[in-house]
Amino acid sequence: MNIRQLEYFLAVSEQLNFTKAAKQFYISQTAVTLQIKSLEEELGVKLFDRTNRRVKLTPAGKTFQEDARAILRRTSDAMERARRADTVFTGHLKIGFVKGYEKTTLSDLLADFHTKYPNISLSFTRENVSELYDGILNGNLDVIFNLQYSMDDLDDIDFVTIKQYPLLAVMPASHPLAHRTSIRWSELKNYPLVDIKKNNSRYGESATISNAFTSAGFLPDIRYASDDIETSILAIAAGLGYALLPGYITDALTAKEKVIAVPLEGEEKRMTVIAAWHKNQENAALDKFLREYILIP
């Protein structure tokens, strides 16, 4: 007994006509008749009562009809499961993101990817700028969402721009500049700065920020430096100073933080977020993530 014989049998049992059943498979009536006869011999029962004028299922044929349908249905399901199993993509993706970027739609992107590829496991690292670039270069991370300052020392890294965000001065509501619609960088000269600790100047972070202050005519008076955004915002609310933060952080601020974000004047006051990965990476899961979610035409 084979699948084709069952298909022929069901076609005849539904059409009650050998000729019509044969046309359904683009074969001769004789071929269908021989296959049905072979099936009956194997089963040891007659499946059809045939006369010159009509074809009718025997009691054994009616019983076998139900079982044949079930067999074909289970066979089809089994084949589909086998095909899906053969195409299931597995792997692991190590994703890093700069502190504060979790406040964006990053989680939506990752959720979509995970839904589409549930067998690719994901791990996440939330770090500062330098540590993320280090993670790519030493192989601890596959892809990062990070701030771009300078790519001069990053010849081994490929990247694509995700978005540019405005830079804003975040200060306590009691600050003299807090209720302005915008301010010039130079107006921050006489106020203390709350900064994020920078462990490595290799990636242009410190130089870029220092040059921006120098262009404004002063160097910052850093009164407090923290390891993360949340502590910085707490320090600002406590009146220790102001901080310069990108829009992806300030967009998520609420009244409970007790701070106010004021835009800095000038189009150049923007920060660029990139997705970056090692040029020589050989992670098939990363290839799929980049091709379908990052490098979108």
Side-chain angles (χ1 to χ4, degrees):
M1 185 189 306
N2 58 54
I3 297 298
R4 183 59 74 186
Q5 286 177 329
L6 295 179
E7 290 175 338
Y8 293 158
F9 164 74
L10 284 177
V12 175
S13 71
E14 291 165 359
Q15 301 275 1
L16 294 178
N17 187 296
F18 278 77
T19 301
K20 290 181 180 179
K23 288 181 178 178
Q24 185 175 325
F25 294 97
Y26 302 99
I27 59 175
S28 68
Q29 177 183 331
T30 301
V32 172
T33 300
L34 289 174
Q35 289 295 323
I36 296 298
K37 183 179 180 181
S38 175
L39 184 59
E40 288 177 325
E41 289 174 353
E42 184 173 353
L43 293 173
V45 297
K46 281 190 66 176
L47 298 172
F48 298 99
D49 281 328
R50 284 160 283 194
T51 68
N52 292 333
R53 308 184 73 176
R54 67 173 186 165
V55 175
K56 184 174 71 171
L57 280 167
T58 65
K62 289 179 180 180
T63 299
F64 188 67
Q65 184 184 47
E66 297 177 7
D67 291 333
R69 283 176 179 153
I71 291 169
L72 288 181
R73 186 166 53 249
R74 287 196 296 270
T75 301
S76 177
D77 291 344
M79 292 171 64
E80 180 60 26
R81 286 195 297 272
R83 292 190 189 102
R84 284 202 304 267
D86 188 52
T87 58
V88 165
F89 198 95
T90 61
H92 182 63
L93 197 56
K94 297 170 288 187
I95 301 170
F97 57 93
V98 67
K99 290 178 178 179
Y101 197 64
E102 71 278 2
K103 301 178 188 297
T104 68
T105 57
L106 175 63
S107 61
D108 295 333
L109 182 149
L110 298 176
D112 188 38
F113 180 76
H114 178 62
T115 299
K116 188 172 182 179
Y117 299 105
N119 291 298
I120 296 179
S121 61
L122 305 177
S123 60
F124 307 109
T125 298
R126 180 179 183 268
E127 262 299 352
N128 293 327
V129 172
S130 295
E131 287 78 4
L132 291 175
Y133 284 125
D134 286 341
I136 289 293
L137 293 175
N138 62 29
N140 289 333
L141 293 172
D142 295 311
V143 62
I144 59 174
F145 295 86
N146 203 6
L147 289 169
Q148 177 191 12
Y149 289 99
S150 171
M151 302 303 289
D152 292 343
D153 295 323
L154 298 173
D155 293 336
D156 293 327
I157 288 181
D158 278 331
F159 69 94
V160 63
T161 298
I162 300 297
K163 189 174 180 179
Q164 287 192 322
Y165 294 88
L167 188 64
L168 297 93
V170 180
M171 52 194 65
S174 59
H175 196 283
L177 302 176
H179 299 284
R180 297 266 298 274
T181 56
S182 66
I183 58 176
R184 297 186 302 276
W185 198 309
S186 59
E187 293 181 274
L188 298 169
K189 179 177 181 179
N190 297 318
Y191 300 104
L193 175 70
V194 172
D195 201 10
I196 298 291
K197 291 179 181 177
K198 302 170 183 62
N199 298 327
N200 192 328
S201 62
R202 175 185 175 191
Y203 307 112
E205 183 180 13
S206 297
T208 300
I209 294 173
S210 178
N211 290 339
F213 276 104
T214 300
S215 298
F218 69 101
L219 292 178
D221 176 15
I222 301 175
R223 297 287 182 87
Y224 187 87
S226 72
D227 287 319
D228 58 66
I229 298 299
E230 288 76 15
T231 305
S232 292
I233 292 174
L234 175 65
I236 295 166
L240 275 64
Y242 71 92
L244 299 173
L245 299 175
Y248 62 78
I249 295 174
T250 61
D251 286 347
L253 291 175
T254 62
K256 68 179 181 180
E257 272 98 9
K258 301 177 182 177
V259 298
I260 294 176
V262 183
L264 293 174
E265 295 178 4
E267 279 299 314
E268 74 279 5
K269 308 300 189 298
R270 303 184 73 82
M271 302 189 76
T272 301
V273 171
I274 63 173
W277 58 95
H278 202 287
K279 286 183 177 179
N280 298 324
Q281 69 83 19
E282 296 179 347
N283 186 342
L286 176 58
D287 288 336
K288 191 167 290 290
F289 180 70
L290 294 176
R291 186 168 58 251
E292 298 185 23
Y293 290 86
I294 301 301
L295 302 175
I296 302 172

